[in-house]
């Protein structure tokens, strides 16, 4: 099920002149599985599906469902899948084979739908795509989803493919950094960047020994996204809406255990340190300043003069970032809206934020510069200095 925004070409917003040779977002698309779960139905469904009879777990999940601020999510997992694979909801079952049987085709289906919506908005034929960057932490196989996606979309057989696996929540912004490098170093190239994620690999029944599973159940969703990236938009044929001015990645030394994911016979097990929001808060200001300096924005430019596209890992991270940087109310609205509408969809979520941001910038075009940020295992910070066209 793909969704497309058709009205952006009819905007009355002022157009800025593109910077020659600078990678630019030319189109965006998204897609979701057909199963939509309103947050108020989640607890009953999860407790029923996992046959959990512990009232304390139910109460905790109800509380978490409210604090995450998520209103609805899309999931690949359905009643039919659980009827076919009841072992997925059975503690201690070796189910990695079954999980991959479901996840491998599902992520490519969603990636294909998102890519088609994106290519449709772009308005040029799929054969004009010269490079493909594919991002997922939800499938494992050889050849990978990049080849399956290229085949499904009818891309050229000499399309240059890059596969980014198991980066977690910052993968979408890494994809932008890689696509930017390709676009700027190969004149005339057009890069399709696709991200696709499902929570199937991590789904399991609740256990008191794994309290983080409940946070995941209350926060994460499934979906896919796609963008076309290229430099020097062809006049009359393409309309860039956001330039990728500069990109920076950085890891925080000594924090690699704060977000911990392990693959086992039962799927993926995630553990998040309670100090994650604090670690991000303690390092974010210097990271943003570094990105702004590299991009030529001096220390005189205030954070409130920028627009913000931040991966909504969860409400605590957004609240801390907002407080630390002294952001005015409303600066993170696009991040909060994406979290509310889709949950944390790992690498995809930044693109849902950017699509909302595009709509915002159409209405009020005075903000020229912005920051795109994501955080994930490492702890890794990934950032892009953005310029709105």
């Amino acid at each position: 099920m793909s969704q497309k925004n058709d009205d952006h070409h009819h905007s009355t917003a002022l157009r800025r002149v593109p910077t020659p040779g600078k990678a630019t977002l030319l189109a965006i698309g998204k897609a979701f599985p057909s199963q939509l779960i309103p947050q108020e139905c989640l607890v009953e469904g999860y407790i029923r599906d996992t046959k959990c009879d512990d009232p304390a777990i139910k109460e905790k999940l109800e509380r978490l469902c409210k604090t995450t601020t998520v209103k609805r999510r899309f999931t690949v997992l359905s009643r039919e899948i659980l009827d076919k694979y009841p072992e997925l909801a059975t503690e201690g079952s070796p189910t990695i084979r079954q999980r991959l049987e479901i996840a491998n085709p599902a992520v490519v289906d969603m990636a294909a739908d998102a890519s088609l919506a994106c290519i449709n908005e772009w308005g040029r034929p799929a054969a004009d795509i010269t490079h493909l960057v594919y991002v997922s932490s939800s499938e494992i196989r050889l050849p990978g989803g990049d080849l399956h996606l290229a085949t499904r979309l009818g891309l050229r057989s000499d399309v240059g493919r890059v596969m980014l696996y198991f980066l977690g929540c910052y993968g979408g912004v890494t994809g932008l950094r890689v696509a930017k490098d390709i676009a700027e170093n190969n004149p005339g190239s057009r890069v399709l960047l696709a991200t696709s994620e499902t929570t199937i690999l991590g789904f399991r029944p609740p256990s008191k020994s794994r309290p983080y599973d409940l946070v995941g159940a209350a926060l994460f969703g499934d979906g896919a996204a796609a963008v076309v990236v290229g430099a020097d938009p062809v006049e009359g044929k393409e309309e860039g809406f956001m330039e990728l001015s500069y990109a920076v990645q950085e890891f925080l030394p000594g924090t690699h255990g704060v977000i911990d994911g392990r693959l086992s016979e039962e799927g993926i097990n995630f553990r998040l340190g309670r100090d994650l929001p604090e670690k991000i808060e303690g390092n974010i200001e210097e990271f943003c300043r570094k990105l702004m300096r590299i991009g030529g924005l001096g220390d005189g430019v205030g954070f409130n003069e920028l627009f913000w596209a931040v991966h909504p890992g969860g409400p605590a991270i957004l609240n801390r970032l907002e407080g630390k940087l002294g952001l005015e109310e409303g600066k993170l609205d696009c991040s909060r809206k994406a979290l509310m509408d889709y949950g944390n969809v790992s690498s995809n979520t930044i693109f849902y934020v950017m699509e909302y941001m595009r709509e915002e910038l159409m209405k009020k075009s005075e903000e020229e510069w912005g920051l795109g940020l994501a955080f994930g295992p490492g702890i890794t910070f990934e950032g892009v200095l953005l310029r709105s066209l």
Side-chain angles (χ1 to χ4, degrees):
M1 173 184 128
S2 64
Q3 299 187 348
K4 183 172 166 278
N5 183 5
D6 275 310
D7 55 17
H8 81 284
H9 287 302
H10 312 303
S11 146
T12 53
L14 159 95
R15 304 283 311 166
R16 293 190 179 90
V17 178
T19 311
K22 196 58 90 174
T24 306
L25 298 183
L26 301 171
I28 195 164
K30 60 184 186 293
F32 301 95
S34 53
Q35 179 97 345
L36 171 65
I37 299 179
Q39 194 79 335
E40 61 270 19
C41 305
L42 179 111
V43 179
E44 290 304 328
Y46 182 75
I47 295 296
R48 182 192 62 226
D49 293 343
T50 58
K51 301 179 177 60
C52 169
D53 52 12
D54 185 334
I57 283 180
K58 184 179 178 185
E59 193 189 323
K60 183 176 182 189
L61 185 57
E62 279 170 344
R63 200 169 62 245
L64 283 167
C65 279
K66 288 191 180 78
T67 56
T68 58
T69 71
V70 178
K71 291 278 190 283
R72 57 168 209 174
R73 279 169 299 165
F74 295 89
T75 66
V76 169
L77 191 69
S78 61
R79 250 295 23 118
E80 296 76 53
I81 286 175
L82 282 171
D83 288 345
K84 186 179 174 184
Y85 300 99
E87 60 272 32
L88 293 181
T90 310
E91 185 66 45
S93 305
T95 49
I96 190 67
R97 177 183 59 78
Q98 295 91 319
R99 290 169 193 275
L100 291 173
E101 267 173 24
I102 304 161
N104 287 345
V107 287
V108 168
D109 286 348
M110 293 188 291
D113 287 348
S115 298
L116 288 169
C118 179
I119 289 168
N120 192 16
E121 183 187 282
W122 178 44
R124 288 178 60 180
D128 288 357
I129 297 290
T130 57
H131 297 77
L132 172 65
V133 178
Y134 178 79
V135 180
S136 184
S137 300
S138 307
E139 62 145 82
I140 307 168
R141 57 176 159 180
L142 296 169
D146 58 329
L147 185 87
H148 293 278
L149 180 60
T151 307
R152 281 277 286 280
L153 297 175
L155 303 185
R156 303 161 13 180
S157 60
D158 65 349
V159 67
R161 306 185 330 263
V162 175
M163 184 83 167
L164 297 171
Y165 251 8
F166 285 94
L167 301 181
C169 290
Y170 67 85
V173 185
T174 306
L176 285 173
R177 179 166 53 81
V178 171
K180 169 182 166 59
D181 284 351
I182 294 171
E184 291 177 358
N185 287 295
N186 297 272
S189 63
R190 290 297 177 262
V191 187
L192 176 66
L193 163 59
T195 60
S196 190
E197 306 288 4
T198 170
T199 48
I200 290 276
L201 292 188
F203 175 82
R204 52 177 46 75
S207 156
K208 283 200 164 106
S209 65
R210 295 192 311 270
Y212 180 67
D213 284 4
L214 289 180
V215 179
L219 184 66
F220 288 100
D222 299 357
V227 288
V228 173
V229 179
D232 305 312
V234 180
E235 219 169 316
K237 275 191 177 182
E238 296 172 316
E239 201 171 84
F241 60 93
M242 206 176 275
E243 285 179 355
L244 308 174
S245 289
Y246 291 90
V248 173
Q249 185 194 59
E250 190 172 332
F251 70 90
L252 306 181
T255 63
H256 58 269
V258 177
I259 303 172
D260 187 72
R262 305 281 168 107
L263 190 63
S264 74
E265 294 84 350
E266 295 172 59
I268 284 189
N269 231 326
F270 282 110
R271 280 207 325 271
L272 256 76
R274 286 181 178 280
D275 54 347
L276 176 62
E278 198 181 305
K279 291 263 192 272
I280 291 174
E281 181 185 24
N283 293 275
I284 190 63
E285 186 171 357
E286 183 43 43
F287 181 74
C288 292
R289 281 285 169 213
K290 176 190 278 188
L291 193 48
M292 290 163 71
R293 278 195 295 271
I294 290 171
L297 296 187
D299 286 344
V301 177
F303 291 136
N304 283 305
E305 293 171 58
L306 308 176
F307 61 88
W308 293 79
V310 180
H311 167 73
I317 289 173
L318 294 178
N319 294 342
R320 290 210 176 207
L321 188 137
E322 188 175 56
K324 177 72 178 176
L325 302 178
L327 298 182
E328 290 160 5
E329 203 182 323
K331 282 288 177 185
L332 298 181
D333 278 1
C334 293
S335 297
R336 291 202 165 96
K337 186 165 163 49
L339 184 64
M340 207 185 293
D341 291 347
Y342 309 112
N344 178 342
V345 199
S346 191
S347 65
N348 304 296
T349 327
I350 191 68
F351 299 108
Y352 308 153
V353 177
M354 286 173 126
E355 189 176 48
Y356 284 144
M357 182 53 69
R358 173 170 74 175
E359 289 166 27
E360 282 303 302
L361 292 167
M362 296 274 167
K363 292 178 210 154
K364 49 170 186 32
S365 55
E366 66 273 8
E367 289 164 336
E368 182 171 1
W369 297 96
L371 291 180
L373 303 171
F375 325 99
I379 294 170
T380 302
F381 282 27
E382 192 82 65
V384 192
L385 181 65
L386 304 165
R387 178 175 176 250
S388 168
L389 296 177

